[in-house]
Amino acid sequence: MTGRRTPHLPSQGAELGTAAPFVPRLGDLAADTARSGRIGVVVTLPGEDSATTYHLRPPGGGPAWSAPADGSTLHPVPAQITHATLLPGRDAVYDQRARQGSVPVEFHFEDGSTREGSLVLTSAELERLYTQTSRLLDIHENALGDDA
């Protein structure tokens, strides 16, 4: 043993996790836990223009507020998902034991990024999806008939 404290042990007061701490930059969206999760755009950094705290302003404008210089109350605001599409070349699977199906999808975020995932459906949800997609196919076929 080296006698050094090991920061990843919860008994020593450090939180578990491997994520790097959030260090806001100018223009980042941040949720401020000291303000009930209020979301703001970082408009001034500590040390910039003799500021001793972060300054945030609501995304649509409005009065700015301050957050501690250590950023301890600020958390990143993830990009929101805009839609999901089927992953090409990947088939859905059904797990008989769990009685659920899994459809491979790609999630598209408002910042243009994507991430692969799965749409997991119970038997009842599979039946509902079948009914809804069948209705959409009927509408599509009728629209094709109207174009002829």
Side-chain angles (χ1 to χ4, degrees):
M1 296 285 299
T2 63
R4 292 187 316 202
R5 291 173 47 117
T6 308
H8 66 277
L9 296 176
S11 61
Q12 295 177 336
E15 292 183 30
L16 288 177
T18 57
F22 177 56
V23 180
R25 296 176 298 176
L26 281 179
D28 281 354
L29 281 178
D32 190 349
T33 58
R35 304 258 181 170
S36 301
R38 186 175 181 195
I39 295 175
V41 178
V42 176
V43 293
T44 307
L45 301 174
E48 180 181 277
D49 298 332
S50 70
T52 57
T53 60
Y54 284 97
H55 291 223
L56 295 94
R57 187 174 305 279
W65 74 92
S66 297
D70 65 1
S72 59
T73 65
L74 301 179
H75 297 281
V77 176
Q80 298 297 305
I81 295 173
T82 60
H83 63 285
T85 57
L86 296 175
L87 276 171
R90 305 264 301 271
D91 285 335
V93 294
Y94 185 76
D95 182 339
Q96 291 184 4
R97 212 170 23 104
R99 295 186 177 169
Q100 61 187 20
S102 175
V103 180
V105 295
E106 183 171 46
F107 296 103
H108 298 261
F109 295 87
E110 63 189 359
D111 65 0
S113 63
T114 60
R115 179 162 297 154
E116 290 185 10
S118 296
L119 175 60
V120 178
L121 303 160
T122 64
S123 297
E125 292 168 332
L126 284 168
E127 289 177 14
R128 190 168 136 220
L129 182 62
Y130 176 78
T131 301
Q132 291 177 358
T133 54
S134 294
R135 183 178 56 80
L136 291 174
L137 283 170
D138 288 343
I139 293 169
H140 172 69
E141 288 176 8
N142 288 336
L144 289 177
D146 292 344
D147 290 342

